[in-house]
Amino acid sequence: MEHDTSTTHSPGVAELRALYRAAEARAARLRFIIEVQNLLDAAAFETAAQEVLSRLADFAGASYARLGFPQLQGTAPMQLTVGKSTNPGHDGILFASQAGSNLRLMLIGSPGGRAMDPDDRETLEVVAGQLDDAYNLNRQAAENQALLGDLQRQRSELAALVAQLIQAQEQERQRVALDLHDGSAQLAAGLSYRLQDLAARIGEAHVLKPEIDQLAALARHSVADLRAAIADLRPPELDDLGVAAALRTRLDAIDGLEVIADLDAASDRWPTSTGIIFYRVAQEAITNVIKHAEASRLVVRLFEDGKGEAHLEVIDDGKGIGELRHPQMRGGQLGIVGMRERLALLGGRIEIEAGSSGGTHVRAAAPLAQETTSE
């Protein structure tokens, strides 16, 4: 009986050893790639790249390794090296990174050294790609950090300009208030006193007595209006005590309205520019209520939330925001524009809407963090 010898034979010992060595080589290449990635993830690029370059030289059997790349900061290119060429006249390039990469990797050694098979070359290509990716990530991070620094500087400069603008506006208001106090207010007060004195001297029977009394009353009203305008231009409480105290003084002077004031005393410690702008916005909103809303109740709230934003609310039970579209209310519309422009200086916002049960609800908010205290 003959045996069939055409069946597949089992691998011999030499073949098994070859397969084992190939598997071990693949595992070693994979470990090498993972170790390189861990190095690049754990340290700054230039530090990690120096260690990776040394390991690449050992892996390829190179006597000299060089890695060149543009510096993250500056214009001169950076170059890292390991070892030196032992035989410059005969050493050759064992590996060079592909064109188009930001990095230039070159491994130099004796052509008669350890043979580099395609798997080894593929491993070197992978590691070169890892180096390129790590460099690009570091460069992007550095560029982002530089852009963030530029943005922060621009915000600081903008905040300083806003503070200077607000300070200039308030200085001009103070100058106008002083001019009114020393000029028109004094003249109106003098006129009032002279008219009262004239009315007293001519006696009740004089034919001009009623008209002089009317003129004296008109002069007194003019003096009162001028004093109120001077106080509104630059209330002393705003300088001495802060925005909450200044608003409380303003609200205490209102007659004919039920006034509810919920003013957080912490707002008196807000940066000066923020306090001034919020006072001006509140001042305009309150004036609109008094002049146009025909309201019986006024609520004013001033507070800071847990997110570092300043808030103002002015609520009335009057005719509502729709009335401001009437041609006679054009001054109120201009006041709203002014409130928006003031808050825009702080990067803030304002919402004006009709209340659920009538009236108008004004909400203003601005971040405190954008403010500067340099004045």
Side-chain angles (χ1 to χ4, degrees):
M1 177 186 247
E2 294 183 358
H3 295 284
D4 185 3
T5 59
S6 64
T7 58
T8 304
H9 69 279
S10 299
V13 174
E15 190 174 352
L16 287 174
R17 287 177 177 172
L19 290 172
Y20 177 76
R21 284 194 296 270
E24 281 289 302
R26 284 194 295 271
R29 296 185 188 100
L30 181 59
R31 284 195 302 271
F32 179 61
I33 292 171
I34 293 173
E35 289 171 359
V36 165
Q37 190 61 53
N38 290 338
L39 278 172
L40 294 171
D41 290 341
F45 176 75
E46 292 183 12
T47 302
Q50 185 72 49
E51 178 63 23
V52 170
L53 189 62
S54 177
R55 297 194 182 193
L56 279 171
D58 292 340
F59 178 85
S63 58
Y64 175 72
R66 184 176 68 218
L67 178 66
F69 53 88
Q71 290 194 73
L72 297 178
Q73 295 180 349
T75 56
M78 184 75 177
Q79 185 167 280
L80 303 178
T81 61
V82 170
K84 62 180 180 179
S85 179
T86 56
N87 194 352
H90 297 84
D91 284 345
I93 298 175
L94 302 179
F95 175 83
S97 57
Q98 296 179 354
S101 170
N102 287 310
L103 278 70
R104 297 290 181 266
L105 173 63
M106 185 175 294
L107 303 176
I108 296 175
S110 172
R114 182 178 71 86
M116 188 178 302
D117 60 28
D119 288 339
D120 291 337
R121 187 166 295 279
E122 183 180 1
T123 300
L124 293 175
E125 292 285 359
V126 169
V127 173
Q130 288 176 301
L131 284 167
D132 195 43
D133 291 343
Y135 170 80
N136 288 330
L137 286 174
N138 265 20
R139 184 186 62 183
Q140 291 171 8
E143 290 172 352
N144 291 341
Q145 190 63 34
L147 289 174
L148 181 59
D150 290 341
L151 179 60
Q152 290 173 341
R153 283 191 295 274
Q154 290 172 4
R155 285 180 174 175
S156 297
E157 292 171 0
L158 178 60
L161 289 174
V162 167
Q164 292 173 11
L165 175 61
I166 295 170
Q167 186 179 24
Q169 290 175 340
E170 292 304 310
Q171 287 174 345
E172 181 63 16
R173 283 174 173 268
Q174 191 170 25
R175 186 192 65 78
V176 172
L178 289 172
D179 287 347
L180 287 174
H181 179 272
D182 295 339
S184 299
Q186 297 299 327
L187 291 173
L191 178 61
S192 176
Y193 295 145
R194 292 290 298 274
L195 287 170
Q196 292 178 55
D197 180 64
L198 178 61
R201 285 192 288 111
I202 65 175
E204 295 292 334
H206 198 285
V207 67
L208 295 178
K209 181 64 165 60
E211 187 172 350
I212 292 174
D213 286 342
Q214 289 179 1
L215 289 173
L218 181 60
R220 287 195 300 273
H221 284 305
S222 297
V223 171
D225 287 345
L226 280 169
R227 287 174 176 169
I230 291 169
D232 283 344
L233 279 170
R234 190 63 181 178
E237 296 84 5
L238 192 56
D239 290 324
D240 300 336
L241 302 175
V243 59
L247 270 181
R248 193 173 300 279
T249 300
R250 176 71 178 89
L251 294 172
D252 288 344
I254 296 175
D255 295 324
L257 276 178
E258 178 192 359
V259 178
I260 299 174
D262 182 10
L263 310 175
D264 186 355
S267 60
D268 288 332
R269 296 189 294 272
W270 289 351
T272 302
S273 298
T274 300
I276 290 171
I277 284 185
F278 269 76
Y279 178 82
R280 296 303 179 196
V281 171
Q283 185 182 44
E284 185 62 44
I286 293 167
T287 299
N288 284 341
V289 173
I290 295 172
K291 288 186 175 181
H292 307 305
E294 299 178 8
S296 61
R297 187 170 184 264
L298 172 65
V299 179
V300 179
R301 299 191 183 102
L302 188 69
F303 60 95
E304 178 182 349
D305 65 16
K307 299 178 181 179
E309 279 200 332
H311 290 266
L312 168 71
E313 294 182 354
V314 179
I315 307 167
D316 69 76
D317 61 353
K319 293 187 297 186
I321 188 65
E323 295 293 332
L324 288 176
R325 296 186 176 89
H326 194 278
Q328 295 179 349
M329 299 301 182
R330 192 166 298 168
Q333 290 177 314
L334 292 175
I336 292 173
V337 172
M339 289 190 284
R340 293 189 192 280
E341 289 177 348
R342 286 189 176 97
L343 284 165
L345 292 174
L346 296 177
R349 61 194 181 277
I350 187 169
E351 298 175 359
I352 304 174
E353 58 189 16
S356 57
S357 56
T360 303
H361 197 155
V362 177
R363 297 186 184 90
L368 290 169
Q370 290 189 8
E371 187 58 54
T372 69
T373 56
S374 60
E375 300 173 16

